[in-house]
Amino acid sequence: VDVTLTTAGTAQNLINLVGLDDPTVNIATNPSFETGDPPTGYTATGAALTQSSAVTARNGSFSMLVNPANAATGEGAYWTSPALGGPGDANSQLYLVASAFFRDAAGSGDDVRIAIRDTSNTLLVAGQTLDLTTTFARSFASYPLTPTPTIYRVFFETAVQHNTNFHVDSFQ
């Protein structure tokens, strides 16, 4: 540390930690889809789920393969959060921030996204829509937590109706 004290021989703060971002915490269980076939902790909605091979993993040994039924928009899978609440103070708002990486095997260009919904499946916020390619791309969404603890569902879903299988990995 190379600092000249304002007053020699007097204690002084050398760094102010106020205002620095808090670290993120991944509360998602099985975020790399390493456990179970279909992956443990995820619920299918209008799609079939399987644990994919190591060839299609971004992190770890597996990813989740989603096979939409091609009947509607929003087909895929979701993870259910524990009850989450914020402090109720406008100066220290907390957010549920969710992200995942998506790809397909053929570069179809079909659309997928991450989305945050309530337990009635009402859309609260949708992440950016991605055109599926043969390389992983990230979609993320954030939603402000209310003071009352609430359970949320984080969806990995088709953004338009299609029947293209897609992979999801690195969920946080």
Side-chain angles (χ1 to χ4, degrees):
V1 176
D2 183 17
V3 174
T4 302
L5 297 174
T6 305
T7 305
T10 304
Q12 180 176 330
N13 289 338
L14 300 178
I15 185 171
N16 185 355
L17 299 178
V18 176
L20 295 178
D21 293 333
D22 291 331
T24 62
V25 176
N26 192 354
I27 60 171
T29 52
N30 197 17
S32 294
F33 310 100
E34 301 299 311
T35 307
D37 189 13
T40 305
Y42 298 87
T43 303
T45 177
L49 308 178
T50 56
Q51 186 184 54
S52 69
S53 70
V55 174
T56 56
R58 181 176 180 275
N59 288 321
S61 299
F62 300 100
S63 64
M64 180 169 60
L65 177 63
V66 179
N67 181 358
N70 197 22
T73 297
E75 295 175 331
Y78 66 84
W79 171 81
T80 303
S81 77
L84 303 171
D89 175 3
N91 294 321
S92 56
Q93 179 67 57
L94 294 179
Y95 289 83
L96 168 59
V97 179
S99 70
F101 287 79
F102 296 80
R103 68 162 282 212
D104 71 0
S108 67
D110 287 326
D111 293 337
V112 294
R113 67 183 180 196
I114 199 165
I116 300 172
R117 299 175 186 270
D118 64 18
T119 55
S120 299
N121 293 337
T122 300
L123 180 66
L124 301 174
V125 64
Q128 69 274 31
T129 297
L130 302 173
D131 296 331
L132 286 168
T133 69
T134 58
T135 58
F136 278 104
R138 185 180 189 192
S139 178
F140 64 91
S142 66
Y143 188 75
L145 298 175
T146 63
T148 304
T150 304
I151 294 172
Y152 299 93
R153 291 179 176 168
V154 178
F155 279 72
F156 318 103
E157 64 184 22
T158 58
V160 297
Q161 182 179 336
H162 64 75
N163 190 31
T164 301
N165 293 354
F166 61 93
H167 298 271
V168 181
D169 207 353
S170 307
F171 170 45
Q172 180 170 353

